[in-house]
Amino acid sequence: DAGVIQSPRHEVTEMGQEVTLRCKPISGHNSLFWYRQTMMRGLELLIYFNNNVPIDDSGMPEDRFSAKMPNASFSTLKIQPSEPRDSAVYFCASTGQVWNEQFFGPGTRLTVL
Amino acid sequence: GIQVEQSPPDLILQEGANSTLRCNFSDSVNNLQWFHQNPWGQLINLFYIPSGTKQNGRLSATTVATERYSLLYISSSQTTDSGVYFCAVHYSTGNQFYFGTGTSLTVIP
C-alpha cells in the first residue's frame, strides 16, 4: 500500500489567494483526519470524517477554512482567502476505524506571503 | 487543561546510550500511539499501544493504563533516532486525538 498521499508537498502563495490541499487515504480506511502543525501550537486536529461524513469540525480555525470528502479515496482542505498566519504544515491521517491506529501522510508545507 | 504530558522536553544522547521517554495522560484511553517525527517532518508510527508492552528492534514501549502513563525505551541509540517523539491518545470519552508536546531527541556521534 502506498500509504496516505498528500499533494502538493510544498505550496507558496500570496495572501488572499485560494489554497487547496489534497489527501488520498489508505485504501479501505473509513476515517480521515486533517491536522495543522506549527511551532507555537503543535499538532492541532482541524476536522475529521467518518465514512466520508464530516463528524467534528470544531478545530477549523475560521470560516476561511473548509474541507470536503466527496468519496472514500479523496479529501480536500481549502483556505480562501489565505493569510500569512495560515503558514504551517498540514497533515492528513487515516484510520481503519475512527479511533484506531492513525497513519499520517507526508504533509503539505504551506507558506503564505 | 493539559491533556497529555511528555517528558523530558529535550534530550541529548551520545550514540549508543539508552533512554526512556515518558507520556502521562489524564483519563482512561482506548488508543495510545507513539510517533517519531524525523528531521524531514514525517510522522512515523512506532507503536500502537493502549496497554501492555511491545518491542520492535531497539525500541520498546509499555503502557500502564491503570496508572495513566506510557514509556518509550530506546536502546543503543543511533544518530538516525534524532527527531521529535510524540505520544498521542484518544480518551474513552472523547472525540479527538490529543498529542503531547513531544520530546526532542538529539543523538550525537
Side-chain angles (χ1 to χ4, degrees):
Chain A
D1 197 315
V4 177
I5 298 172
Q6 291 187 246
S7 64
R9 296 292 306 276
H10 301 274
E11 176 81 24
V12 181
T13 191
E14 293 187 346
M15 185 173 67
Q17 296 298 307
E18 178 179 294
V19 175
T20 300
L21 311 181
R22 297 172 176 80
C23 176
K24 176 178 168 55
I26 292 172
S27 177
H29 278 192
N30 295 328
S31 299
L32 183 142
F33 302 76
W34 282 102
Y35 289 88
R36 178 171 67 176
Q37 186 178 34
T38 61
M39 289 294 293
M40 291 296 294
R41 300 171 70 92
L43 270 157
E44 304 173 274
L45 177 64
L46 301 178
I47 185 171
Y48 76 91
F49 296 83
N50 191 37
N51 294 322
N52 312 337
V53 176
I55 303 300
D56 188 343
D57 65 354
S58 59
M60 297 284 261
E62 46 195 279
D63 292 345
R64 298 184 296 106
F65 286 70
S66 62
K68 295 182 180 179
M69 192 164 186
N71 58 61
S73 59
F74 183 65
S75 177
T76 59
L77 177 67
K78 186 176 292 187
I79 309 172
Q80 166 63 18
S82 58
E83 296 182 3
R85 60 194 168 119
D86 302 330
S87 298
V89 180
Y90 291 81
F91 287 100
C92 175
S94 70
T95 64
Q97 296 295 326
V98 63
W99 301 119
N100 283 6
E101 185 175 8
Q102 292 185 96
F103 294 87
F104 280 77
T108 295
R109 183 173 295 277
L110 173 65
T111 303
V112 183
L113 303 175
Chain B
I2 296 174
Q3 305 284 347
V4 181
E5 288 185 327
Q6 290 188 244
S7 60
D10 299 281
L11 188 57
I12 300 175
L13 295 177
Q14 198 78 40
E15 197 168 28
N18 303 329
S19 63
T20 301
L21 282 56
R22 187 177 180 104
C23 172
N24 290 336
F25 44 93
S26 56
D27 206 342
S28 62
V29 298
N30 56 23
N31 179 349
L32 187 146
Q33 290 184 248
W34 284 98
F35 295 91
H36 174 213
Q37 188 165 37
N38 64 24
W40 294 269
Q42 292 185 308
L43 280 160
I44 299 165
N45 288 36
L46 297 179
F47 295 102
Y48 171 65
I49 188 166
S51 64
T53 297
K54 292 185 177 180
Q55 179 155 7
N56 184 3
R58 296 180 296 103
L59 273 60
S60 63
T62 295
T63 296
V64 184
T66 53
E67 297 187 22
R68 299 179 181 169
Y69 72 88
S70 183
L71 302 175
L72 176 68
Y73 305 97
I74 304 174
S75 64
S76 304
S77 58
Q78 301 176 357
T79 56
T80 51
D81 295 332
S82 296
V84 182
Y85 290 79
F86 289 102
C87 169
V89 307
H90 172 248
Y91 290 108
S92 304
T93 56
N95 65 346
Q96 72 163 291
F97 287 107
Y98 292 93
F99 278 78
T101 52
T103 291
S104 178
L105 173 65
T106 303
V107 181
I108 55 177

